[in-house]
Amino acid sequence: QVQLVESGGGLVQAGGSLRLSCVASGRTFSRDGMGWFRQALGKERTFVAAISWSGGGTMYAASVKGRFTISRNNAENTVYLQMNSLKSEDTAVYYCAAGSVATADVRRYVYWGQGTQVTVSS
């Protein structure tokens, strides 16, 4: 299986920045897509950003485009989510996920991390 471990969450003021990290281990060779999703209290899990291990192509949800940047370090098996200009609406548990391809569809990710809480104070 694939193991994913997120870190970097915390409490930040509106307008501030955080960087989340996701370290992948295990059988990652067939899981080319890495995504970040978030789930606010009482809401559904929604897409944030995704990246391809092989090609490095990225995609973003409209709500975070221009503020968040997803990147990866293949040698370290690590995916990052740099979050700038944070808003109170960004408050959620953030999850790292692995799937066969990079996609915005939450249903196509098989492996998930434990989640890390991001709280943005207004």
Side-chain angles (χ1 to χ4, degrees):
Q1 64 175 11
V2 175
Q3 294 83 44
L4 304 173
V5 180
E6 303 105 323
S7 62
L11 175 65
V12 65
Q13 291 183 317
S17 299
L18 283 174
R19 188 180 75 158
L20 306 183
S21 299
C22 174
V23 179
S25 61
R27 300 175 63 85
T28 62
F29 59 88
S30 63
R31 310 299 178 185
D32 191 50
M34 296 292 293
W36 286 99
F37 293 79
R38 64 188 181 186
Q39 187 166 20
L41 186 64
K43 298 184 179 180
E44 296 183 343
R45 190 168 300 186
T46 59
F47 170 74
V48 176
I51 191 168
S52 169
W53 282 115
S54 59
T58 61
M59 60 184 71
Y60 297 91
S63 59
V64 306
K65 191 173 296 184
R67 300 188 298 121
F68 291 9
T69 302
I70 189 170
S71 61
R72 93 284 203 222
N73 186 318
N74 292 54
E76 297 179 352
N77 273 349
T78 303
V79 175
Y80 303 96
L81 185 68
Q82 178 67 48
M83 305 185 294
N84 299 325
S85 301
L86 283 162
K87 308 173 182 179
S88 60
E89 307 95 272
D90 296 317
T91 295
V93 176
Y94 283 70
Y95 296 92
C96 177
S100 297
V101 297
T103 175
D105 188 354
V106 66
R107 299 171 299 177
R108 298 179 66 179
Y109 289 86
V110 178
Y111 299 100
W112 295 84
Q114 81 285 354
T116 185
Q117 177 70 48
V118 172
T119 302
V120 183
S121 62
S122 59

